[in-house]
Amino acid sequence: PEYLIFSDTLKYNTETKLVSILGPTNIYGKGEDNNTLYSEDGWYDSNLGHAELYKNNRVTHLSYEGVADTMVIDSITGMAYLYWNVTLVDTVNNVIVKGEYAQMDREQNKAFVTDSMDQDSAKNQILRAYYKVKFFSQDLQGLCDSMVYLSVDSTITLHNEPVVWASGNQMTAEKISLLTGNGTIQEFYLNTKAF
C-alpha cells in the first residue's frame, strides 16, 4: 500500500513474497518525501523490506538523487547503500559528488560519499575530493589535485597546482581559497606564487 510499481517485466513469488525485477521498473512512494526508485535488474524481499539492485539504478529522496551500479536498500530503516560509479546529486544546493560508495539516510535526510564527505567534531560537514579534481558551474571552472569544502565557514580550498577560470580570467597559486556565500563566490585568496 505504500508504493506504486510500474514494470516492463516483474516476477512475484506468492509463497516467499520475493519480487524479482527483470526489466525497466519504476517504484513510486506515496508519501510526501518524493521517494522514487528505478532499476532494470534486482530483487526485493517484501517480508524484510530489503532490496538489491544491479542495473541502471536510481533512487531519489526529497532533495537527493543517487545513481550507482549496485544498490542495497533497507526500506524499514530508510538506508540506501550505493556501490561503484556513484553519483550523488543535491538538487537544493546544486552539488554533484562522485565516488565509489555512498550512503543515503531517508530518516535524517542525510547522504554522504566515502572518502569525499565527513563531519568534524561539531557536526559541520566537510567535503573532500582527491586526485585530479575538476569542478564546474556556469561562471566558474577549475581543477586541482585535492579540494576541501568546510560548510561551517563556506570556504573551498584548492591544493597542489590549482587553476581557476572565472569571468574570463585564469588564476593559479600553490593554494587557492574561495569564500562562498548566497550561492556565489564572494572572494578569492591566492597563496604563494599567485598569478
Side-chain angles (χ1 to χ4, degrees), residues 116-162:
S116 297
M117 280 193 185
D118 200 358
Q119 289 183 339
D120 64 15
S121 59
K123 302 291 185 192
N124 297 306
Q125 286 189 337
I126 301 169
L127 170 70
R128 292 184 178 100
Y130 298 101
Y131 313 121
K132 299 180 183 179
V133 176
K134 296 178 184 177
F135 56 93
F136 309 92
S137 70
Q138 287 183 318
D139 53 359
L140 179 75
Q141 296 84 38
L143 56 89
C144 58
D145 179 66
S146 58
M147 176 176 76
V148 177
Y149 170 71
L150 302 174
S151 66
V152 67
D153 62 2
S154 300
T155 301
I156 301 169
T157 305
L158 313 173
H159 299 275
N160 298 331
E161 301 181 9

Short mmCIF file of all heavy atoms in Angstrom, two decimals, residues 116-162:
data_model
loop_
_atom_site.label_atom_id
_atom_site.label_comp_id
_atom_site.label_asym_id
_atom_site.label_seq_id
_atom_site.Cartn_x
_atom_site.Cartn_y
_atom_site.Cartn_z
N SER A 116 34.89 11.25 0.56
CA SER A 116 34.59 12.55 -0.01
C SER A 116 33.86 13.45 0.99
O SER A 116 34.07 14.64 0.99
CB SER A 116 33.73 12.40 -1.26
OG SER A 116 34.42 11.70 -2.24
N MET A 117 32.99 12.90 1.81
CA MET A 117 32.29 13.72 2.82
C MET A 117 32.56 13.18 4.19
O MET A 117 32.69 12.00 4.39
CB MET A 117 30.78 13.73 2.56
CG MET A 117 30.34 14.66 1.50
SD MET A 117 28.56 14.84 1.56
CE MET A 117 28.35 15.85 0.13
N ASP A 118 32.59 14.10 5.15
CA ASP A 118 32.87 13.74 6.52
C ASP A 118 32.25 14.81 7.41
O ASP A 118 31.73 15.80 6.92
CB ASP A 118 34.39 13.70 6.73
CG ASP A 118 34.80 12.89 7.95
OD1 ASP A 118 33.91 12.40 8.68
OD2 ASP A 118 36.00 12.76 8.17
N GLN A 119 32.31 14.62 8.72
CA GLN A 119 31.88 15.64 9.67
C GLN A 119 32.97 15.84 10.69
O GLN A 119 33.66 14.89 11.07
CB GLN A 119 30.60 15.20 10.39
CG GLN A 119 29.37 15.21 9.53
CD GLN A 119 28.13 14.84 10.32
OE1 GLN A 119 28.21 14.23 11.38
NE2 GLN A 119 26.99 15.23 9.81
N ASP A 120 33.13 17.11 11.15
CA ASP A 120 34.08 17.35 12.23
C ASP A 120 33.38 17.09 13.56
O ASP A 120 32.23 16.68 13.60
CB ASP A 120 34.69 18.75 12.12
CG ASP A 120 33.66 19.86 12.29
OD1 ASP A 120 32.53 19.59 12.76
OD2 ASP A 120 33.99 21.01 11.95
N SER A 121 34.08 17.33 14.66
CA SER A 121 33.52 17.03 15.98
C SER A 121 32.30 17.88 16.31
O SER A 121 31.50 17.51 17.16
CB SER A 121 34.60 17.19 17.06
OG SER A 121 35.10 18.52 17.03
N ALA A 122 32.14 19.02 15.66
CA ALA A 122 30.97 19.88 15.88
C ALA A 122 29.85 19.58 14.90
O ALA A 122 28.90 20.34 14.79
CB ALA A 122 31.38 21.34 15.78
N LYS A 123 29.95 18.48 14.15
CA LYS A 123 28.94 18.03 13.18
C LYS A 123 28.82 18.94 11.97
O LYS A 123 27.82 18.96 11.29
CB LYS A 123 27.56 17.87 13.85
CG LYS A 123 27.53 16.90 15.00
CD LYS A 123 27.73 15.49 14.52
CE LYS A 123 27.59 14.53 15.70
NZ LYS A 123 28.04 13.21 15.40
N ASN A 124 29.86 19.74 11.69
CA ASN A 124 29.89 20.53 10.47
C ASN A 124 30.33 19.64 9.32
O ASN A 124 31.23 18.82 9.47
CB ASN A 124 30.87 21.70 10.61
CG ASN A 124 30.45 22.65 11.70
OD1 ASN A 124 29.33 23.14 11.71
ND2 ASN A 124 31.35 22.92 12.62
N GLN A 125 29.70 19.81 8.17
CA GLN A 125 30.05 18.97 7.03
C GLN A 125 31.37 19.38 6.42
O GLN A 125 31.69 20.56 6.31
CB GLN A 125 28.97 19.04 5.96
CG GLN A 125 27.73 18.30 6.30
CD GLN A 125 26.78 18.21 5.13
OE1 GLN A 125 26.84 19.02 4.22
NE2 GLN A 125 25.91 17.22 5.16
N ILE A 126 32.12 18.37 6.01
CA ILE A 126 33.39 18.57 5.32
C ILE A 126 33.32 17.75 4.04
O ILE A 126 33.00 16.58 4.07
CB ILE A 126 34.57 18.08 6.17
CG1 ILE A 126 34.62 18.82 7.51
CG2 ILE A 126 35.88 18.26 5.42
CD1 ILE A 126 35.59 18.20 8.50
N LEU A 127 33.60 18.40 2.92
CA LEU A 127 33.65 17.71 1.64
C LEU A 127 35.10 17.67 1.21
O LEU A 127 35.76 18.70 1.13
CB LEU A 127 32.81 18.45 0.61
CG LEU A 127 32.93 18.00 -0.84
CD1 LEU A 127 32.29 16.63 -1.00
CD2 LEU A 127 32.27 19.00 -1.75
N ARG A 128 35.61 16.46 0.97
CA ARG A 128 36.98 16.29 0.49
C ARG A 128 36.95 15.57 -0.84
O ARG A 128 36.24 14.59 -1.00
CB ARG A 128 37.79 15.46 1.49
CG ARG A 128 38.04 16.14 2.80
CD ARG A 128 38.95 15.28 3.68
NE ARG A 128 39.24 15.93 4.92
CZ ARG A 128 38.65 15.66 6.07
NH1 ARG A 128 37.72 14.73 6.12
NH2 ARG A 128 38.98 16.31 7.16
N ALA A 129 37.74 16.07 -1.78
CA ALA A 129 37.86 15.41 -3.07
C ALA A 129 39.35 15.26 -3.37
O ALA A 129 40.13 16.18 -3.13
CB ALA A 129 37.18 16.22 -4.16
N TYR A 130 39.73 14.09 -3.86
CA TYR A 130 41.13 13.78 -4.07
C TYR A 130 41.42 13.39 -5.51
O TYR A 130 40.61 12.74 -6.15
CB TYR A 130 41.57 12.61 -3.18
CG TYR A 130 41.43 12.87 -1.72
CD1 TYR A 130 40.35 12.37 -1.00
CD2 TYR A 130 42.38 13.62 -1.04
CE1 TYR A 130 40.22 12.59 0.35
CE2 TYR A 130 42.26 13.86 0.32
CZ TYR A 130 41.18 13.34 1.01
OH TYR A 130 41.05 13.57 2.35
N TYR A 131 42.61 13.75 -5.94
CA TYR A 131 43.23 13.27 -7.16
C TYR A 131 42.49 13.70 -8.42
O TYR A 131 41.41 13.20 -8.73
CB TYR A 131 43.40 11.75 -7.15
CG TYR A 131 44.00 11.24 -5.85
CD1 TYR A 131 43.32 10.33 -5.06
CD2 TYR A 131 45.23 11.71 -5.41
CE1 TYR A 131 43.86 9.88 -3.87
CE2 TYR A 131 45.77 11.27 -4.21
CZ TYR A 131 45.09 10.36 -3.45
OH TYR A 131 45.60 9.92 -2.26
N LYS A 132 43.10 14.63 -9.10
CA LYS A 132 42.60 15.13 -10.40
C LYS A 132 41.17 15.64 -10.30
O LYS A 132 40.29 15.25 -11.06
CB LYS A 132 42.73 14.04 -11.46
CG LYS A 132 44.15 13.59 -11.69
CD LYS A 132 44.23 12.53 -12.74
CE LYS A 132 45.67 12.05 -12.90
NZ LYS A 132 45.81 11.01 -13.89
N VAL A 133 40.94 16.55 -9.36
CA VAL A 133 39.61 17.12 -9.11
C VAL A 133 39.29 18.15 -10.20
O VAL A 133 40.12 18.97 -10.56
CB VAL A 133 39.56 17.79 -7.73
CG1 VAL A 133 38.23 18.48 -7.50
CG2 VAL A 133 39.86 16.78 -6.64
N LYS A 134 38.07 18.10 -10.70
CA LYS A 134 37.54 19.09 -11.64
C LYS A 134 36.20 19.56 -11.11
O LYS A 134 35.42 18.77 -10.60
CB LYS A 134 37.36 18.49 -13.03
CG LYS A 134 38.65 18.05 -13.68
CD LYS A 134 38.37 17.41 -15.03
CE LYS A 134 39.65 16.88 -15.63
NZ LYS A 134 39.41 16.21 -16.91
N PHE A 135 35.94 20.87 -11.22
CA PHE A 135 34.64 21.38 -10.80
C PHE A 135 34.16 22.41 -11.81
O PHE A 135 34.94 23.08 -12.48
CB PHE A 135 34.69 21.95 -9.39
CG PHE A 135 35.72 23.03 -9.19
CD1 PHE A 135 35.39 24.36 -9.34
CD2 PHE A 135 37.03 22.69 -8.85
CE1 PHE A 135 36.35 25.34 -9.15
CE2 PHE A 135 37.98 23.66 -8.66
CZ PHE A 135 37.64 25.00 -8.82
N PHE A 136 32.81 22.50 -11.94
CA PHE A 136 32.21 23.34 -12.96
C PHE A 136 30.97 24.01 -12.39
O PHE A 136 30.22 23.42 -11.63
CB PHE A 136 31.75 22.49 -14.16
CG PHE A 136 32.81 21.59 -14.71
CD1 PHE A 136 32.94 20.28 -14.26
CD2 PHE A 136 33.68 22.05 -15.67
CE1 PHE A 136 33.91 19.44 -14.76
CE2 PHE A 136 34.67 21.22 -16.18
CZ PHE A 136 34.77 19.91 -15.73
N SER A 137 30.75 25.25 -12.80
CA SER A 137 29.47 25.93 -12.61
C SER A 137 29.31 26.84 -13.82
O SER A 137 30.17 26.88 -14.70
CB SER A 137 29.43 26.71 -11.30
OG SER A 137 30.28 27.83 -11.36
N GLN A 138 28.24 27.61 -13.87
CA GLN A 138 28.01 28.46 -15.04
C GLN A 138 29.11 29.48 -15.25
O GLN A 138 29.49 29.76 -16.37
CB GLN A 138 26.67 29.18 -14.93
CG GLN A 138 25.49 28.26 -15.14
CD GLN A 138 24.19 29.01 -15.08
OE1 GLN A 138 24.02 29.87 -14.24
NE2 GLN A 138 23.27 28.69 -15.97
N ASP A 139 29.62 30.06 -14.17
CA ASP A 139 30.61 31.13 -14.32
C ASP A 139 31.96 30.83 -13.67
O ASP A 139 32.80 31.71 -13.54
CB ASP A 139 30.05 32.44 -13.75
CG ASP A 139 29.54 32.27 -12.33
OD1 ASP A 139 29.61 31.16 -11.80
OD2 ASP A 139 29.07 33.27 -11.76
N LEU A 140 32.19 29.57 -13.29
CA LEU A 140 33.44 29.22 -12.63
C LEU A 140 33.81 27.78 -12.96
O LEU A 140 32.97 26.90 -12.89
CB LEU A 140 33.28 29.36 -11.11
CG LEU A 140 34.47 29.02 -10.25
CD1 LEU A 140 35.51 30.12 -10.33
CD2 LEU A 140 34.04 28.82 -8.80
N GLN A 141 35.06 27.58 -13.33
CA GLN A 141 35.58 26.23 -13.56
C GLN A 141 36.95 26.15 -12.92
O GLN A 141 37.62 27.16 -12.72
CB GLN A 141 35.72 25.91 -15.06
CG GLN A 141 34.43 25.89 -15.83
CD GLN A 141 34.02 27.26 -16.29
OE1 GLN A 141 34.84 28.06 -16.67
NE2 GLN A 141 32.73 27.53 -16.25
N GLY A 142 37.37 24.93 -12.62
CA GLY A 142 38.71 24.78 -12.07
C GLY A 142 39.14 23.35 -11.98
O GLY A 142 38.36 22.43 -12.21
N LEU A 143 40.42 23.20 -11.67
CA LEU A 143 40.97 21.87 -11.42
C LEU A 143 42.10 21.99 -10.42
O LEU A 143 42.70 23.05 -10.24
CB LEU A 143 41.41 21.19 -12.72
CG LEU A 143 42.43 21.89 -13.62
CD1 LEU A 143 43.84 21.53 -13.22
CD2 LEU A 143 42.17 21.45 -15.04
N CYS A 144 42.37 20.89 -9.73
CA CYS A 144 43.43 20.83 -8.73
C CYS A 144 43.67 19.37 -8.39
O CYS A 144 42.97 18.49 -8.87
CB CYS A 144 43.05 21.63 -7.48
SG CYS A 144 41.54 21.08 -6.67
N ASP A 145 44.65 19.12 -7.55
CA ASP A 145 44.91 17.75 -7.12
C ASP A 145 43.93 17.33 -6.03
O ASP A 145 43.44 16.21 -6.02
CB ASP A 145 46.34 17.61 -6.61
CG ASP A 145 46.63 16.21 -6.12
OD1 ASP A 145 46.62 15.29 -6.96
OD2 ASP A 145 46.80 16.04 -4.91
N SER A 146 43.64 18.24 -5.08
CA SER A 146 42.70 17.92 -4.00
C SER A 146 41.98 19.19 -3.57
O SER A 146 42.46 20.30 -3.74
CB SER A 146 43.42 17.28 -2.81
OG SER A 146 44.44 18.13 -2.33
N MET A 147 40.78 18.99 -2.98
CA MET A 147 39.93 20.11 -2.61
C MET A 147 39.23 19.79 -1.29
O MET A 147 38.87 18.64 -1.03
CB MET A 147 38.88 20.32 -3.71
CG MET A 147 37.86 21.39 -3.42
SD MET A 147 36.73 21.66 -4.80
CE MET A 147 35.66 20.25 -4.66
N VAL A 148 39.04 20.83 -0.45
CA VAL A 148 38.32 20.68 0.82
C VAL A 148 37.29 21.80 0.91
O VAL A 148 37.61 22.97 0.68
CB VAL A 148 39.29 20.76 2.03
CG1 VAL A 148 38.52 20.68 3.34
CG2 VAL A 148 40.35 19.69 1.96
N TYR A 149 36.04 21.43 1.23
CA TYR A 149 34.98 22.40 1.45
C TYR A 149 34.52 22.28 2.89
O TYR A 149 34.17 21.20 3.36
CB TYR A 149 33.80 22.16 0.52
CG TYR A 149 32.58 22.98 0.87
CD1 TYR A 149 32.56 24.35 0.67
CD2 TYR A 149 31.46 22.39 1.44
CE1 TYR A 149 31.45 25.11 1.00
CE2 TYR A 149 30.34 23.13 1.78
CZ TYR A 149 30.35 24.49 1.56
OH TYR A 149 29.25 25.24 1.90
N LEU A 150 34.52 23.40 3.62
CA LEU A 150 34.06 23.44 5.01
C LEU A 150 32.73 24.18 5.06
O LEU A 150 32.67 25.37 4.74
CB LEU A 150 35.08 24.15 5.90
CG LEU A 150 36.49 23.56 5.92
CD1 LEU A 150 37.43 24.44 6.72
CD2 LEU A 150 36.46 22.15 6.48
N SER A 151 31.67 23.49 5.45
CA SER A 151 30.35 24.12 5.48
C SER A 151 30.25 25.18 6.57
O SER A 151 29.47 26.12 6.43
CB SER A 151 29.26 23.07 5.67
OG SER A 151 29.38 22.47 6.94
N VAL A 152 31.02 25.06 7.62
CA VAL A 152 30.92 25.99 8.75
C VAL A 152 31.26 27.42 8.35
O VAL A 152 30.64 28.36 8.82
CB VAL A 152 31.79 25.52 9.95
CG1 VAL A 152 33.28 25.60 9.62
CG2 VAL A 152 31.47 26.33 11.20
N ASP A 153 32.24 27.61 7.45
CA ASP A 153 32.57 28.96 7.02
C ASP A 153 32.43 29.14 5.50
O ASP A 153 32.84 30.16 4.95
CB ASP A 153 33.97 29.36 7.47
CG ASP A 153 35.06 28.48 6.90
OD1 ASP A 153 34.75 27.58 6.11
OD2 ASP A 153 36.23 28.71 7.25
N SER A 154 31.86 28.15 4.83
CA SER A 154 31.61 28.19 3.38
C SER A 154 32.87 28.48 2.58
O SER A 154 32.86 29.24 1.62
CB SER A 154 30.54 29.23 3.06
OG SER A 154 29.34 28.91 3.70
N THR A 155 33.98 27.86 2.98
CA THR A 155 35.26 28.05 2.30
C THR A 155 35.65 26.79 1.54
O THR A 155 35.58 25.69 2.06
CB THR A 155 36.38 28.38 3.31
OG1 THR A 155 36.01 29.57 4.01
CG2 THR A 155 37.70 28.61 2.60
N ILE A 156 36.06 26.98 0.28
CA ILE A 156 36.58 25.91 -0.55
C ILE A 156 38.07 26.16 -0.72
O ILE A 156 38.47 27.26 -1.13
CB ILE A 156 35.91 25.89 -1.94
CG1 ILE A 156 34.40 25.71 -1.79
CG2 ILE A 156 36.52 24.82 -2.82
CD1 ILE A 156 33.63 25.95 -3.08
N THR A 157 38.91 25.19 -0.39
CA THR A 157 40.36 25.33 -0.54
C THR A 157 40.86 24.32 -1.55
O THR A 157 40.59 23.12 -1.44
CB THR A 157 41.08 25.13 0.82
OG1 THR A 157 40.52 26.04 1.77
CG2 THR A 157 42.56 25.41 0.68
N LEU A 158 41.60 24.81 -2.54
CA LEU A 158 42.15 24.00 -3.61
C LEU A 158 43.65 23.85 -3.38
O LEU A 158 44.35 24.85 -3.18
CB LEU A 158 41.90 24.67 -4.96
CG LEU A 158 40.47 25.18 -5.21
CD1 LEU A 158 40.41 25.95 -6.51
CD2 LEU A 158 39.51 24.03 -5.21
N HIS A 159 44.15 22.62 -3.44
CA HIS A 159 45.55 22.33 -3.15
C HIS A 159 46.29 21.76 -4.36
O HIS A 159 45.68 21.13 -5.22
CB HIS A 159 45.65 21.32 -2.00
CG HIS A 159 45.04 21.79 -0.72
ND1 HIS A 159 45.72 22.57 0.18
CD2 HIS A 159 43.80 21.60 -0.20
CE1 HIS A 159 44.93 22.85 1.20
NE2 HIS A 159 43.75 22.26 1.00
N ASN A 160 47.62 21.93 -4.35
CA ASN A 160 48.53 21.32 -5.32
C ASN A 160 48.24 21.73 -6.76
O ASN A 160 47.50 21.07 -7.48
CB ASN A 160 48.53 19.80 -5.20
CG ASN A 160 49.02 19.35 -3.84
OD1 ASN A 160 49.82 20.04 -3.21
ND2 ASN A 160 48.52 18.23 -3.37
N GLU A 161 48.82 22.84 -7.15
CA GLU A 161 48.73 23.38 -8.51
C GLU A 161 47.31 23.62 -8.99
O GLU A 161 46.92 23.20 -10.08
CB GLU A 161 49.48 22.47 -9.49
CG GLU A 161 50.94 22.31 -9.14
CD GLU A 161 51.69 21.42 -10.12
OE1 GLU A 161 51.12 21.06 -11.17
OE2 GLU A 161 52.84 21.11 -9.83
N PRO A 162 46.50 24.34 -8.20
CA PRO A 162 45.14 24.62 -8.65
C PRO A 162 45.11 25.67 -9.76
O PRO A 162 45.96 26.56 -9.82
CB PRO A 162 44.46 25.15 -7.39
CG PRO A 162 45.57 25.78 -6.61
CD PRO A 162 46.78 24.92 -6.89
#
